[in-house]
Amino acid sequence: MICLKRSAPSRHLWKEGLISSICTLVSRVVGAMKSQASHPRTFSRGLQTVTLIPGDGIGPEISTAVMKIFEAAKAPIQWEERNVTAIKGPGGKWMIPTEAKDSMDKSKIGLKGPLKTPIAAGHPSMNLLLRKTFDLYANVRPCVSIEGYKTPYTDVDLVTIRENTEGEYSGIEHVIVDGVVQSIKLITEEASQRIAEYAFEYARNNQRASVTAVHKANIMRMSDGLFLRKCREVAENFKDIKFTEMYLDTVCLNMVQDPTQFDVLVMPNLYGDILSDLCAGLIGGLGVTPSGNIGANGVAIFESVHGTAPDIAGKDLANPTALLLSAVMMLRHMGLHGQAKKIETACFDTIRDKKVLTKDLGGNSKCSEFTGEICRRVQDME
Amino acid sequence: MGDCALIKHAPPPAKYGGRHTVTLIPGDGIGPELLTHVRELFRFCCVPVDFEIVSIDSKSTSDDDMNNAITAIRRNGVALKGNIETNHNLPPSHISRNNILRTSLDLYANVIHCQTLPGVRTRHRDVDIIIIRENTEGEYSSLEHENVPGVVECLKIITRKKSLRIAEYAFNAARQNGRRRVTAVHKANIMKLGDGLFLQCCKEVAAGYPEITFDSMIVDNTTMQLVSKPQQFDVMVMPNLYGSVISNVCAGLVGGPGLVPGANYGKDYAVFETATRNTGKSIANKNIANPTATLLASCLMLDHLRLHGYASMIRKAILATVSETRLHTADLGGQGTTSEVVQSVMREIESKGPRTSEQI
């Protein structure tokens, strides 16, 4: 479960432990009520291991930035760096390296930088492999306007929850006859139920008031109809959350006029892909948007969703905000709300101040300077 | 805001002494009241168009009604319509009426011109995008089946023939309207065969239009770019579903569903409606709906019938009215009523003085 509760920043470390224990207790109670449990973890005051996948391009430098900031904040995280370049397994099937898989299976939490998509490497995209290996079925993107990074849209505060395993991205395509191609969109009862349950649980755990199912059942009656039906069924068990349905085109129309009317949105794969990027655009783009992927068996991988930016790689120009905010999301998922709030505040304050900003945010500081500024603020908060 | 991306082909022959007959489908929600205003306006302006009203709405259950409507449009060649509501809780055999109309008449190009209008306050300025959306295949093929209980497959069909056709339409329209750039919107990195074919067809057609720049963009990146820098887009061409998303995003950017007209063109027929195809059920019959989109759609229809004089006269009056903030309807943040807007348009036309038939 991810907790994005905006609790008051804890000023003393002992309070941090208390809050952490309370969250653990709450998560245990809530976890016991869930049918599909992500098993509650014991977050002691000891170090928690997280698998870190730096990625390609600017990946390594922004990962280093995040590690530095976490160190300055004295976050109880122990990083285990792993590489996920695909290797061919015994059956001839492509898979991620065993060390990476073992690390993730043990730690259950991962933080990932951008991975480049190989063109002619012969193996599928790494993101796809990770998704399949850990059954990462839910992609969660909270989109909150960043004060200090101005866009035409203010007061955006919504969350897109996208089904990430089936739908239009099933990869099943055929050439029927020359010049006629058929792509298959797959919707199953099981996956629809799973994502709907996750969305409502997320809403409940994060004090969100409503969940909106986004669909096109007027045209795709059976497939989106099934998705919608499952959402309605799950909504019956969450009477404390308001449930609405809206056509995809209406959501798009209303989103660009007044995004404040939306809270939590749940939808199948393709609509989720489009809408989550649309919402990222509202708050300033992929360079400042966090993202989390929830898998079966309690696995969660948080990632930055921007590209590898090979043109600025290694030049100390990258903006680590997206990866940092994803790491903050990760801390909240682990119940470390105090730490999360501290780091997030330091990051937002730095951006709001506008004195030390990377180029994409409108400044001309280096990545290391931006990171240093955030570290300084975090340490001042002690 | 002139002719919107038309392939010039001969309009249906005028019958009975220079008057055209146009099929009118009121539809559901705000359709009937807004189209009544159109008739009122046309009568006021003495437009030589007679409307043949065909009532197809969510209450019509038999296929006969649908067939009659299609026959009427075939006979007249041109239609003006409101949106017909689809009850998506009915079984899959009940296909969307709007969809049936589009596919039966092979209205393969949905053309929407989104332009920032003076007097309408929006977050983005200087937006001027023409969207050309393939209207008959893709995800809207209505081919679904449940092979195994709990597992539904929905087929998205992309054909070379229709992709070439819509690409040809887009480039031709760009050329005829002096536009410099056509962007194909797709998701070929994931749907390699389907959208890959679409993209390939666009590239082939682009080769025949060297003066026009052709590029492509993945749909999720496109939506992101649209909300941050929409001014970069000129003409956009895309398959059906992405067309729905992009046209709604662009309509929202320039002021909402009440302002943008849309056109559906086929080889032999043309049907005009609002761009975002909303029924507006919640605001129906309250005299608060914004008639601008419907009125502008009727102007597109007049242009199609080569009644350019009437079209520009009415269009000018509509744009003058829209720039009057005190007349803005609720969707634009005002408190004006539908009838006030229509009255204002008529007053605007009247103030320009009487016209002779040579002037029109």
Side-chain angles (χ1 to χ4, degrees):
Chain A
M1 115 193 133
I2 300 178
C3 279
L4 276 180
K5 202 171 14 196
R6 296 195 183 282
S7 50
S10 51
R11 301 202 195 279
H12 307 284
L13 283 176
W14 68 266
K15 260 194 194 165
E16 151 102 33
L18 180 64
I19 290 169
S20 168
S21 308
I22 291 174
C23 276
T24 309
L25 183 65
V26 168
S27 76
R28 282 220 178 109
V29 171
V30 172
M33 297 193 302
K34 285 187 257 182
S35 51
Q36 198 221 318
S38 56
H39 29 263
R41 267 165 237 95
T42 315
F43 293 121
S44 65
R45 297 231 7 244
L47 292 177
Q48 175 69 28
T49 313
V50 167
T51 309
L52 176 69
I53 302 161
D56 309 306
I58 55 171
E61 50 199 290
I62 55 176
S63 302
T64 313
V66 170
M67 287 197 282
K68 244 196 220 128
I69 295 169
F70 269 51
E71 202 188 308
K74 299 200 183 63
I77 304 289
Q78 182 175 280
W79 305 99
E80 214 170 74
E81 265 187 60
R82 290 287 180 268
N83 184 348
V84 292
T85 317
I87 54 165
K88 242 195 176 142
K93 229 170 64 153
W94 289 101
M95 50 187 243
I96 63 171
T98 335
E99 307 84 50
K101 185 166 188 308
D102 288 342
S103 172
M104 269 305 306
D105 281 337
K106 215 171 66 181
S107 64
K108 299 287 189 201
I109 309 279
L111 183 67
K112 177 176 111 21
L115 294 172
K116 68 170 180 253
T117 307
I119 309 275
H123 62 75
S125 92
M126 293 315 312
N127 291 313
L128 187 62
L129 265 184
L130 277 170
R131 200 170 303 142
K132 289 214 145 63
T133 312
F134 299 107
D135 196 16
L136 300 173
Y137 66 91
N139 179 246
V140 184
R141 253 194 232 180
C143 291
V144 183
S145 286
I146 297 180
E147 197 188 331
Y149 188 41
K150 209 167 159 301
T151 64
Y153 299 89
T154 53
D155 299 325
V156 180
D157 185 3
L158 54 87
V159 183
T160 58
I161 297 181
R162 157 192 178 189
E163 203 293 321
N164 218 4
T165 61
E166 56 174 27
E168 299 81 349
Y169 293 11
S170 51
I172 312 169
E173 294 188 289
H174 317 106
V175 178
I176 309 289
V177 293
D178 190 30
V180 178
V181 174
Q182 165 187 301
S183 304
I184 296 188
K185 162 177 163 168
L186 202 65
I187 299 283
T188 63
E189 199 171 324
E190 199 190 313
S192 304
Q193 172 126 0
R194 190 165 62 163
I195 195 68
E197 273 174 0
Y198 182 79
F200 278 95
E201 272 163 15
Y202 179 93
R204 188 177 267 169
N205 296 336
N206 290 276
Q207 289 83 46
R208 308 294 300 208
S210 73
V211 170
T212 305
V214 181
H215 67 100
K216 256 211 101 52
N218 50 343
I219 300 292
M220 285 174 263
R221 196 69 51 77
M222 262 181 152
S223 39
D224 283 358
L226 173 59
F227 178 82
L228 208 51
R229 246 188 351 265
K230 294 323 280 181
C231 289
R232 285 177 188 155
E233 280 173 26
V234 173
E236 290 297 311
N237 299 332
F238 289 83
K239 291 277 200 235
D240 50 325
I241 312 275
K242 178 164 168 236
F243 172 66
T244 48
E245 311 167 359
M246 211 185 256
Y247 290 141
L248 170 67
D249 36 344
T250 313
V251 172
C252 290
L253 183 62
N254 292 343
M255 184 69 77
V256 299
Q257 294 184 270
D258 180 22
T260 60
Q261 63 187 278
F262 294 105
D263 194 349
V264 176
L265 299 161
V266 64
M267 57 216 117
N269 217 332
L270 175 67
Y271 312 155
D273 195 0
I274 299 175
L275 271 179
S276 57
D277 276 4
L278 175 62
C279 296
L282 298 177
I283 62 167
L286 298 181
V288 293
T289 307
S291 176
N293 298 288
I294 309 302
N297 304 317
V299 168
I301 300 184
F302 299 85
E303 59 175 352
S304 58
V305 285
H306 51 69
T308 52
D311 47 332
I312 57 168
K315 295 183 183 163
D316 199 18
L317 294 171
N319 177 2
T321 306
L323 191 63
L324 184 63
L325 291 178
S326 303
V328 165
M329 209 175 148
M330 176 189 81
L331 285 173
R332 290 196 165 111
H333 177 87
M334 294 158 74
L336 298 166
H337 296 277
Q339 298 282 1
K341 186 72 188 169
K342 200 163 58 175
I343 297 172
E344 188 187 57
T345 310
C347 179
F348 285 164
D349 284 349
T350 309
I351 296 176
R352 190 186 320 125
D353 232 17
K354 294 196 202 216
K355 293 211 199 76
V356 188
L357 292 176
T358 49
K359 190 144 168 282
D360 60 312
L361 291 174
N364 47 22
S365 303
K366 292 194 184 317
C367 174
S368 46
E369 288 166 353
F370 183 69
T371 309
E373 179 67 17
I374 300 179
C375 289
R376 195 184 57 73
R377 283 179 194 269
V378 158
Q379 277 157 344
D380 283 347
M381 283 186 199
E382 291 293 328
Chain B
M1 190 153 154
D3 285 348
C4 168
L6 297 171
I7 294 248
K8 306 265 190 273
H9 61 269
K15 304 172 195 117
Y16 305 128
R19 296 181 69 81
H20 296 269
T21 308
V22 167
T23 307
L24 188 80
I25 301 174
D28 295 300
I30 52 176
E33 67 192 86
L34 295 183
L35 289 171
T36 304
H37 284 302
V38 170
R39 284 159 58 206
E40 196 185 312
L41 184 61
F42 276 24
R43 262 198 304 273
F44 178 81
C45 301
C46 303
V47 175
V49 165
D50 296 312
F51 287 108
E52 180 189 349
I53 302 174
V54 177
S55 290
I56 282 281
D57 52 36
S58 52
K59 290 190 283 301
S60 346
T61 41
S62 83
D63 282 337
D64 281 342
D65 292 326
M66 204 57 225
N67 292 332
N68 290 339
I70 293 173
T71 311
I73 302 177
R74 285 212 172 104
R75 183 173 55 240
N76 296 322
V78 180
L80 186 61
K81 80 183 260 290
N83 198 45
I84 304 164
E85 190 190 351
T86 307
N87 182 352
H88 60 261
N89 296 312
L90 288 176
S93 47
H94 178 91
I95 301 179
S96 151
R97 298 301 166 89
N98 307 300
N99 201 16
I100 295 177
L101 262 172
R102 291 190 289 264
T103 47
S104 311
L105 298 167
D106 200 23
L107 301 168
Y108 65 89
N110 180 224
V111 183
I112 290 156
H113 187 181
C114 290
Q115 255 186 337
T116 312
L117 296 181
V120 178
R121 220 173 31 144
T122 54
R123 289 183 178 86
H124 308 272
R125 311 300 318 167
D126 303 319
V127 177
D128 189 353
I129 305 173
I130 296 179
I131 296 159
I132 295 173
R133 160 190 181 184
E134 207 293 323
N135 217 6
T136 56
E137 59 171 19
E139 300 82 348
Y140 288 43
S141 309
S142 303
L143 294 165
E144 300 179 290
H145 47 259
E146 189 171 3
N147 282 335
V148 172
V151 177
V152 175
E153 283 186 350
C154 172
L155 306 182
K156 162 179 165 167
I157 310 289
I158 299 279
T159 60
R160 192 176 163 71
K161 178 167 155 226
K162 291 192 177 182
S163 301
L164 283 173
R165 188 168 64 166
I166 195 67
E168 193 63 56
Y169 188 96
F171 278 91
N172 206 348
R175 179 177 270 173
Q176 280 182 13
N177 288 275
R179 310 290 272 204
R180 300 258 57 98
R181 187 169 149 227
V182 173
T183 307
V185 179
H186 66 97
K187 191 91 191 149
N189 52 338
I190 303 288
M191 283 177 259
K192 298 185 168 68
L193 293 184
D195 286 355
L197 175 60
F198 180 82
L199 205 53
Q200 179 60 31
C201 294
C202 290
K203 285 196 184 118
E204 283 174 26
V205 171
Y209 294 80
E211 81 277 16
I212 296 176
T213 313
F214 170 68
D215 57 12
S216 63
M217 202 182 267
I218 299 182
V219 61
D220 31 318
N221 188 21
T222 310
T223 54
M224 228 181 340
Q225 297 291 327
L226 277 170
V227 296
S228 45
K229 209 160 70 84
Q231 300 80 5
Q232 64 183 290
F233 296 103
D234 193 355
V235 178
M236 300 167 82
V237 64
M238 61 210 83
N240 217 331
L241 182 70
Y242 311 147
S244 171
V245 170
I246 303 290
S247 54
N248 275 273
V249 169
C250 291
L253 293 177
V254 298
L259 294 178
V260 190
N264 303 282
Y265 296 106
K267 189 161 81 71
D268 303 311
Y269 314 109
V271 174
F272 300 88
E273 55 178 349
T274 62
T276 50
R277 302 171 174 168
N278 306 98
T279 356
K281 234 179 7 175
S282 56
I283 56 171
N285 300 316
K286 292 184 182 157
N287 200 20
I288 53 176
N290 191 343
T292 309
T294 307
L295 292 174
L296 286 174
S298 68
C299 292
L300 290 178
M301 182 194 77
L302 291 173
D303 274 321
H304 180 78
L305 294 173
R306 303 261 209 265
L307 296 168
H308 299 298
Y310 289 105
S312 34
M313 175 177 80
I314 297 175
R315 191 176 284 126
K316 276 201 191 75
I318 297 170
L319 294 178
T321 302
V322 146
S323 62
E324 282 279 340
T325 321
R326 63 180 176 81
L327 287 169
H328 281 182
T329 41
D331 60 313
L332 297 176
Q335 290 173 324
T337 63
T338 317
S339 29
E340 277 168 12
V341 175
V342 178
Q343 294 298 326
S344 166
V345 172
M346 293 202 269
R347 265 198 312 273
E348 216 19 77
I349 293 171
E350 204 171 25
S351 71
K352 297 285 182 262
R355 311 282 192 96
T356 62
S357 54
E358 285 86 50
Q359 283 173 313
I360 295 283

